[in-house]
Amino acid sequence: GAALGAGPVTPTIANADALYMTAGTDTQFTLTGGAFTNMVGTYEWYSDVRLTAADGSSTTMTPDSVSPLSLTVTIPGTTSTGNYTLQAVKGTNAASNPVAISVRPEVRIDRVTNNGETYTITGTGFGDTPPAGAEEYLNVQINGGVADVISWTETEIVASVSGYGAADEGDTITVNALFCNAGFEGSDPECIPDWT
């Protein structure tokens, strides 16, 4: 038992059910471990959750549910992309070991235009230009074939239709970006939120 005048027992995180989320969508994380709650006399301590960004700034959130061995918290979709740590905290000094999570950008195609020779694909979350040698995994596909990329930025990709005939409104375009994929068929964008 706790000694007279004892404070919160430091919680411990053994596991998290997920290590990343996609920006724009509220995501629930369940942490398992120990001492997320503890009694001191007649007072029960409950853990909150501290989300700390790479720059050191942090936000403390109230869990959706908490028990001695499990804690569930929802991280808002408005959280900026980047790497963070999650900790269970009680009071000002009892903080668990950190668990690293990532908030990935949403990969989305908003518009595809063609001039008969190139496709210009605009959207979000495409990331930086893929490094040399990564074309097998990070690429633009036209009707299933890998296209030659002329330019690639976070919000715009220009790809050649060379080898695929003239650009056609019925073509299927897929952007395979670092964090997930996005597809476009004809005039209908379709977001695919994870690897396929």
Side-chain angles (χ1 to χ4, degrees):
L4 185 61
V9 174
T10 301
T12 302
I13 299 174
N15 189 46
D17 69 338
L19 298 177
Y20 70 88
M21 63 179 278
T22 301
T25 304
D26 292 356
T27 304
Q28 195 173 69
F29 287 82
T30 298
L31 308 176
T32 54
F36 293 127
T37 68
N38 71 278
M39 294 291 295
V40 176
T42 58
Y43 183 80
E44 187 165 11
W45 286 89
Y46 291 91
S47 295
D48 287 322
V49 177
R50 182 185 302 146
L51 179 69
T52 304
D55 66 4
S57 61
S58 65
T59 302
T60 301
M61 300 172 286
T62 302
D64 304 329
S65 64
V66 61
S67 70
L69 302 177
S70 178
L71 180 151
T72 301
V73 64
T74 299
I75 298 179
T78 55
T79 304
S80 299
T81 59
N83 296 317
Y84 295 83
T85 59
L86 283 179
Q87 289 177 286
V89 295
K90 293 182 201 163
T92 56
N93 296 318
S96 74
N97 53 304
V99 173
I101 66 163
S102 293
V103 180
R104 300 173 173 181
E106 178 186 17
V107 180
R108 186 181 75 236
I109 295 174
D110 293 326
R111 186 167 186 242
V112 176
T113 58
N114 71 69
N115 62 11
E117 296 180 5
T118 61
Y119 272 112
T120 300
I121 306 159
T122 55
T124 59
F126 301 146
D128 296 330
T129 304
E135 297 85 1
E136 182 179 351
Y137 306 101
L138 306 178
N139 56 44
V140 173
Q141 293 182 2
I142 301 173
N143 299 326
V146 177
D148 291 329
V149 173
I150 298 168
S151 65
W152 184 308
T153 69
E154 174 72 20
T155 58
E156 181 182 276
I157 299 171
V158 178
S160 171
V161 300
S162 176
Y164 301 97
D168 182 71
E169 278 192 25
D171 287 344
T172 299
I173 310 295
T174 303
V175 174
N176 296 306
L178 180 61
F179 293 117
C180 62
N181 309 332
F184 184 94
E185 189 167 349
S187 58
D188 183 23
E190 177 190 2
C191 295
I192 306 167
D194 213 334
W195 290 106
T196 58

